[in-house]
Amino acid sequence: MKHLFFFILIIYGFGIKLNAQKGNNYIKNFSPSDYKASDQNWGGIQDKNGILYFANLDGVLIFDGKHWKIIQIKNNASVFSIDIDSHDKIFVGGDNQFGYLKTLQNGEIIYQSLSDSL
């Protein structure tokens, strides 16, 4: 009986340790090979639909929770800043460029330069 109690205690303790080592399933790290862009991300925002946008040296990265997409700005400039206003308009600042992301009627997202109009 004493050995059975000791055996159960060991198995129970081992089970607790295994559960503690599983980690947090809510956090997922992505490498540049996952999103196929530079490893330097300078900022990030989230719109009201939960879509994530990141300022990256290769453009604006967009992540919908499953797929990555990159929007390049004029002259393939690096993007260093990104922000969103209360109407979900996303503004982008890059190397000698600034503007915003515009969604076309077909759903395609493009960069619209504002610096060209100055």
Side-chain angles (χ1 to χ4, degrees):
M1 185 71 170
K2 183 178 178 182
H3 295 294
L4 179 61
F5 176 73
F6 181 71
F7 179 73
I8 291 172
L9 187 62
I10 294 291
I11 297 297
Y12 179 73
F14 186 68
I16 290 174
K17 186 174 182 178
L18 285 178
N19 285 336
Q21 291 178 350
K22 285 183 181 178
N24 187 344
N25 295 329
Y26 298 110
I27 296 174
K28 172 136 175 68
N29 294 315
F30 294 97
S31 70
S33 61
D34 292 325
Y35 52 81
K36 297 176 180 46
S38 172
D39 63 347
Q40 292 188 33
N41 296 299
W42 291 82
I45 57 165
Q46 183 174 15
D47 71 10
K48 65 181 177 187
N49 296 319
I51 307 296
L52 299 171
Y53 300 82
F54 299 95
N56 182 278
L57 289 186
D58 290 334
V60 177
L61 289 174
I62 302 174
F63 185 60
D64 63 6
K66 189 172 182 182
H67 301 101
W68 289 97
K69 182 177 181 177
I70 188 159
I71 306 296
Q72 295 183 339
I73 67 173
K74 188 173 180 181
N75 300 327
N76 294 326
S78 295
V79 178
F80 295 107
S81 62
I82 191 164
D83 206 355
I84 191 166
D85 69 7
S86 60
H87 303 289
D88 257 9
K89 192 171 197 176
I90 298 167
F91 293 90
V92 176
D95 190 18
N96 293 317
Q97 267 306 307
F98 68 93
Y100 62 95
L101 298 183
K102 180 179 179 179
T103 304
L104 302 177
Q105 287 182 346
N106 63 4
E108 181 184 4
I109 299 173
I110 63 168
Y111 170 75
Q112 183 68 50
S113 177
L114 290 173
S115 54
D116 289 346
S117 61
L118 292 178

